[in-house]
Amino acid sequence: MKKDEIRKNMIEKRNLLSKETVEKNSNIIIEKLDIYIRKAENIMIFMNMGNEVEITKIIKLYSDKNFYIPKTLPNKEMKISRYNENELVLHKFGYYESKSDIFSDENILDLIIVPALAFDISKNRIGFGGGYYDKFLHKIRKNHNNPLIIGICYDFQLLDNIPSEDHDVKVDFVITEKRSL
């Protein structure tokens, strides 16, 4: 299956999830992340939208941690800003990001939690196709002290094999409500 077919299929399946299923499975995934979150101080998360795993719940659960969220720039670049509930603005794609243009140094990150429309058992990921995360993660891998990168998704989004290209960046672990790889 091609990446675009996988994207379409996963969005359709995810959109069919009930709010109860999203909440239940998100809580299980967050429980599995606990061991990694406890060891980290500076954590990058994404601002979940629609029926994505509700990762933003960890902000209140781990109030002693520093959270950072991505902000996409017009040149297909992604930077991070310290999470501040009062500085959020709705992006045209439907997720929240910081309205601030004050960015943090990504080299402080200990843990990066990334979304995807699909992962495979080799830890490849397929996002929405903009390449923002791949570019950001490639820069992190090249310039950083190697933070842990964990992909989270629902179990149906974890496939045996997905197409990957040279510029794609694998994650260190994939966590679903049923499996951890």
Side-chain angles (χ1 to χ4, degrees), residues 63-94:
S63 58
D64 60 326
K65 305 296 180 181
N66 301 315
F67 289 99
Y68 298 85
I69 59 172
K71 181 167 184 170
T72 56
L73 304 177
N75 60 353
K76 292 223 178 218
E77 187 177 10
M78 195 164 77
K79 297 210 176 249
I80 59 168
S81 295
R82 181 94 184 252
Y83 174 82
N84 180 336
E85 188 174 13
N86 300 317
E87 295 221 350
L88 297 177
V89 62
L90 188 62
H91 188 276
K92 66 181 177 183
F93 293 136

Side-chain angles (χ1 to χ4, degrees), residues 29-44:
I29 291 167
I30 289 169
E31 279 180 41
K32 290 180 169 195
L33 281 168
D34 178 72
I35 188 170
Y36 305 106
I37 295 170
R38 286 182 188 271
K39 293 178 183 176
E41 185 178 332
N42 297 300
I43 303 167
M44 178 182 161

Side-chain angles (χ1 to χ4, degrees), residues 4 20 27 73 80 92 105 125 138 142 163 166 168:
D4 285 340
E20 295 78 20
N27 289 340
L73 304 177
I80 59 168
K92 66 181 177 183
D105 180 359
R125 67 178 288 280
H138 181 72
K142 184 178 168 191
D166 290 341
D168 292 337

